[in-house]
Amino acid sequence: QVRLVESGGGLVQAGGSLRLSCAVSGGTFRDYAMGWFRQAPGKEREFVAAVSRSGAYTDYADSVKGRFTVSRNNARNTVYLQMTSLKPEDTAVYFCGTDYTYNIDEARRYSHDYDYWGQGTQVTVSS
């Protein structure tokens, strides 16, 4: 069974930064592309960022492009989301997910492509 544990969320003022981490266990980390999604109260889960198995390819939602950076450390079975210039509209629960794919340079943005999810970490940005 694959297990994902997110950490690093918290309360931050607008313009601040946070770094989320997602540790993966129980599977072969290199076999998964990894994605970050978020869900605000009353809204559907939305794509934030994804990184390919190799780490060479990344994709971002337009709303976070230029502010967020996704990366992975395959030796530590961990994916990161560095968030800067945070805005109140970034407030949400952030989830990481695994995407089992044969393509080492693919990073998908649809939640139905993802197999396993973490429990989420709350990010709150005050104005």
Side-chain angles (χ1 to χ4, degrees):
Q1 182 74 13
V2 179
R3 184 168 180 248
L4 295 80
V5 179
E6 301 97 335
S7 60
L11 173 63
V12 63
Q13 289 188 332
S17 299
L18 282 174
R19 187 195 196 204
L20 305 185
S21 299
C22 172
V24 180
S25 60
T28 304
F29 186 67
R30 293 176 183 271
D31 287 347
Y32 301 111
M34 297 297 299
W36 286 96
F37 291 74
R38 67 188 181 187
Q39 188 166 16
K43 295 188 177 181
E44 294 186 354
R45 187 173 297 191
E46 65 174 1
F47 170 75
V48 175
V51 59
S52 65
R53 289 174 53 193
S54 67
Y57 181 77
T58 57
D59 191 19
Y60 297 92
D62 288 344
S63 59
V64 307
K65 199 170 293 184
R67 300 188 298 122
F68 290 11
T69 303
V70 62
S71 62
R72 64 189 293 159
N73 185 325
N74 285 346
R76 296 188 173 184
N77 291 358
T78 303
V79 61
Y80 306 96
L81 185 68
Q82 179 68 50
M83 306 186 294
T84 63
S85 301
L86 282 161
K87 305 175 181 180
E89 51 263 43
D90 294 318
T91 295
V93 178
Y94 284 70
F95 300 90
C96 62
T98 61
D99 175 11
Y100 186 82
T101 174
Y102 290 107
N103 188 339
I104 65 170
D105 286 325
E106 180 176 49
R108 297 188 284 194
R109 54 170 58 205
Y110 298 103
S111 60
H112 63 249
D113 290 320
Y114 288 75
D115 315 294
Y116 296 97
W117 297 91
Q119 81 290 346
T121 186
Q122 177 70 47
V123 172
T124 303
V125 184
S126 62
S127 57

